[in-house]
Amino acid sequence: MNIVIGKTSGFCNGVSNTVKKAEEAISNEKVYCLGEIVHNERVINDLEKNGMITITNIEEVPNNSKVIIRAHGELKSTYERANEKGIEILDLTCGKIKAIRVKISKKLADHYIIIIGKKNHPESLGVLSFSGDNSSIVEEKKDVDMIKEKINSSNMNKIYVVSQTTYNSDKFDEIVSYINENINKEIVIDKTICDATSKRQNETKELSKNVDTMIIVGGKKSSNTKELEIIAKEYCNNVILVQDKNDINSSMIIGNNIGIMAGASTPNIVVEEIVNKLNNI
């Protein structure tokens, strides 16, 4: 059996930094985390075993306590409420996402903001909350038609387009083309998809073309992992999406050439365990 692991597989720099700083914080004191720190159960369980307390709402955090803002970022109102409760924030929002918020802040006065991304993803919702009233999330081309009236009534003559950092690169380009074709305003395109995401998607595409079975590894809620699965299925007939070694059995494997790509929040140890299991099949 020939197993090829993607060179860009596993933790991106942003996730690695987030997990490292969370580990340092919980080693010294009791710390809460608002939402899943990253979309990977293995990572969350390890941190919780060492004392991190995951909560779903800022109101669950006692006054004057400490809370982690996860890698995806949070709503603007959450920061404001934490300040009211005297809560110390350890903001581990990915630097790429913070940079998008800064860029948007410079465009608010005279641009309508379009965020191309998944409507219910915490990153997209967080960025939207910093984008003022004249803003929308666009997930599909049809959404562009649905926001035309809002754009026109905003009296903004310019449009600023950004992306969720883990969005599908090809799909972003398709939606941008549709925006350019259907909205008659000055449009500024800022493809804010993370470089690590783009490289991982491109490598998944090339690897999938040359293997019999493609294994995509990541958490069930991981957006970037699901995008890798979608890309792989375009080029390989047998694509398996798994969280860990327990999701794999011999009946799933076709052929002798196996490709593996892991999402940005998947620890390397999970990939190593999968490789060991494959070698024993």
Side-chain angles (χ1 to χ4, degrees):
M1 184 180 290
N2 178 40
I3 301 172
V4 181
I5 302 171
K7 294 177 182 178
T8 56
S9 185
F11 275 2
C12 66
N13 289 336
V15 170
S16 180
N17 180 63
T18 294
V19 173
K20 180 181 178 182
K21 289 187 175 179
E23 289 173 340
E24 291 172 355
I26 61 179
S27 68
N28 297 316
E29 58 186 314
K30 184 178 182 179
V31 181
Y32 295 85
C33 181
L34 186 52
E36 294 186 350
I37 191 164
V38 294
H39 284 155
N40 187 278
E41 291 185 8
R42 178 76 163 264
V43 174
I44 295 168
N45 289 339
D46 287 347
L47 289 169
E48 288 180 341
K49 284 177 184 176
N50 289 312
M52 185 182 79
I53 304 168
T54 301
I55 44 88
T56 58
N57 191 295
I58 194 66
E59 300 301 336
E60 298 175 55
V61 183
N63 292 2
N64 305 311
S65 298
K66 189 170 185 175
V67 67
I68 291 170
I69 300 296
R70 57 188 173 170
H72 304 103
E74 260 298 335
L75 301 176
K76 185 178 181 181
S77 59
T78 298
Y79 291 90
E80 294 168 346
R81 182 58 179 147
N83 184 57
E84 292 171 356
K85 288 169 64 68
I87 294 170
E88 180 185 351
I89 291 176
L90 175 57
D91 194 349
L92 300 185
T93 304
C94 173
K96 304 278 186 182
I97 298 171
K98 288 182 179 179
I100 295 171
R101 296 196 311 219
V102 171
K103 288 180 175 182
I104 286 173
S105 69
K106 297 175 181 178
K107 303 285 188 182
L108 287 177
D110 56 357
H111 286 74
Y112 190 95
I113 310 298
I114 293 179
I115 302 151
I116 296 180
K118 297 188 175 178
K119 291 181 179 180
N120 295 318
H121 194 279
E123 177 191 332
S124 299
L125 293 170
V127 172
L128 182 69
S129 73
F130 282 87
S131 302
D133 294 332
N134 296 316
S135 61
S136 298
I137 299 172
V138 168
E139 186 170 348
E140 307 284 349
K141 287 192 289 187
K142 64 182 180 181
D143 297 328
V144 177
D145 298 322
M146 294 173 66
I147 64 171
K148 275 185 182 180
E149 185 176 340
K150 186 180 178 184
I151 292 173
N152 291 331
S153 63
S154 72
N155 295 319
M156 295 289 180
N157 294 319
K158 301 176 184 178
I159 294 176
Y160 182 52
V161 180
V162 296
S163 175
Q164 178 186 326
T165 57
T166 55
Y167 200 67
N168 183 294
S169 181
D170 291 340
K171 195 170 180 180
F172 176 89
D173 294 339
E174 290 175 9
I175 293 174
V176 164
S177 294
Y178 192 79
I179 290 171
N180 282 320
E181 291 168 2
N182 290 275
I183 297 180
N184 187 27
K185 290 183 182 289
E186 181 182 332
I187 301 171
V188 179
I189 305 298
D190 193 352
K191 193 173 184 178
T192 53
I193 294 175
C194 175
D195 288 344
T197 297
S198 297
K199 290 177 181 177
R200 197 186 308 264
Q201 289 178 0
N202 288 334
E203 188 179 14
T204 298
K205 182 187 297 184
E206 295 306 314
L207 185 54
S208 299
K209 293 176 182 178
N210 299 297
V211 296
D212 304 307
T213 296
M214 188 70 191
I215 300 174
I216 305 296
V217 189
K220 292 178 181 178
K221 299 179 182 178
S222 171
S223 175
N224 77 87
T225 302
K226 290 177 183 176
E227 291 300 335
L228 296 180
E229 180 192 22
I230 291 169
I231 292 168
K233 284 183 174 179
E234 292 183 34
Y235 303 97
C236 180
N237 292 325
N238 189 43
V239 178
I240 306 167
L241 177 62
V242 302
Q243 280 200 112
D244 53 37
K245 65 178 182 179
N246 297 321
D247 292 334
I248 296 177
N249 61 61
S250 59
S251 65
M252 297 175 173
I253 308 302
I254 296 174
N256 292 317
N257 294 311
I258 314 298
I260 299 177
M261 181 60 76
S265 53
T266 303
N268 288 333
I269 185 64
V270 174
V271 175
E272 292 172 11
E273 290 170 354
I274 288 172
V275 171
N276 289 336
K277 183 167 185 177
L278 289 173
N279 284 327
N280 289 323
I281 290 178

